[in-house]
Amino acid sequence: GGPVGGVLSRDEVAKLLHDMLEFCLRERSEDSQLLKALGQCVDVCMNGVDMLQKRARRVRLRYTIVKARNMEKLKGCDKALPRYMVTSKLYYQYLTRVMQRQRKFGTSPLVRNLSAQILQLSTYAYSAVRSHGQLALLSCCRRYAGVCAFSMPRLIALIQ
């Protein structure tokens, strides 16, 4: 039921965000700042802060910096990379594969409802709201099984 020790569960937060987003889309559809903030909240609630993705980005950035520093030394031979660079590149590729395969959660009615609202935000009239909605929709398609199959026919219908 209610909050345990003053802390809401993820499901309770998702239901609260769903209700808030439904109200704002219906009653405050012109408030782009509010809708943008709610879109970000729904994205974080549904997808979390992806620590593995942050680590992979750090590894990729480190690899790019080291590669740029060593390009002067590697003018004549493209294949001779320092071991650290080869290891960083392979580690980044490994983390990317893990991220792609690791997580596909099942969908619930709440996830489907929130995905429908995110889909609505991703095609919104204001570009700031639309860009955040599109990022959230992409994250949900990666994270939840069935969200992409749910979203694609609706997006195709909008194009036609």
Side-chain angles (χ1 to χ4, degrees), residues 8 10 21 35 37-38 47 53 56 63-64 67 75 77 86 89 91 98 100 105 108 118 122 132 140 143-144 153:
L8 296 173
R10 181 171 277 202
L21 196 52
L35 290 172
L38 281 173
N47 301 308
Q53 189 175 15
Y63 167 73
T64 307
K67 184 176 178 183
K75 286 278 189 203
C77 50
V86 174
K89 185 177 181 178
Y91 184 57
V98 167
Q100 290 170 351
F105 296 129
S108 66
I118 289 173
S122 70
H132 286 288
C140 288
R143 175 70 57 99
Y144 295 99

Side-chain angles (χ1 to χ4, degrees), residues 17-76:
L17 283 171
H18 173 266
D19 294 342
M20 287 172 59
L21 196 52
E22 186 176 334
F23 172 79
C24 289
L25 285 169
R26 188 179 59 243
E27 302 293 329
R28 307 263 319 256
S29 61
E30 297 297 317
D31 192 350
S32 64
Q33 294 298 321
L34 177 63
L35 290 172
K36 184 171 77 168
L38 281 173
Q40 288 175 330
C41 291
V42 170
D43 186 17
V44 170
C45 177
M46 291 183 71
N47 301 308
V49 177
D50 199 343
M51 299 309 286
L52 186 61
Q53 189 175 15
K54 283 185 177 183
R55 186 170 48 181
R57 281 191 193 131
R58 252 194 329 267
V59 168
R60 177 69 180 174
L61 178 65
R62 193 176 314 134
Y63 167 73
T64 307
I65 291 170
V66 171
K67 184 176 178 183
R69 286 181 184 162
N70 286 301
M71 288 313 279
E72 293 290 324
K73 300 174 191 171
L74 304 174
K75 286 278 189 203

Side-chain angles (χ1 to χ4, degrees), residues 68-95:
R69 286 181 184 162
N70 286 301
M71 288 313 279
E72 293 290 324
K73 300 174 191 171
L74 304 174
K75 286 278 189 203
C77 50
D78 293 334
K79 300 295 179 188
L81 295 173
R83 268 187 233 143
Y84 175 76
M85 287 178 61
V86 174
T87 306
S88 294
K89 185 177 181 178
L90 291 174
Y91 184 57
Y92 173 73
Q93 290 171 347
Y94 165 74
L95 287 177

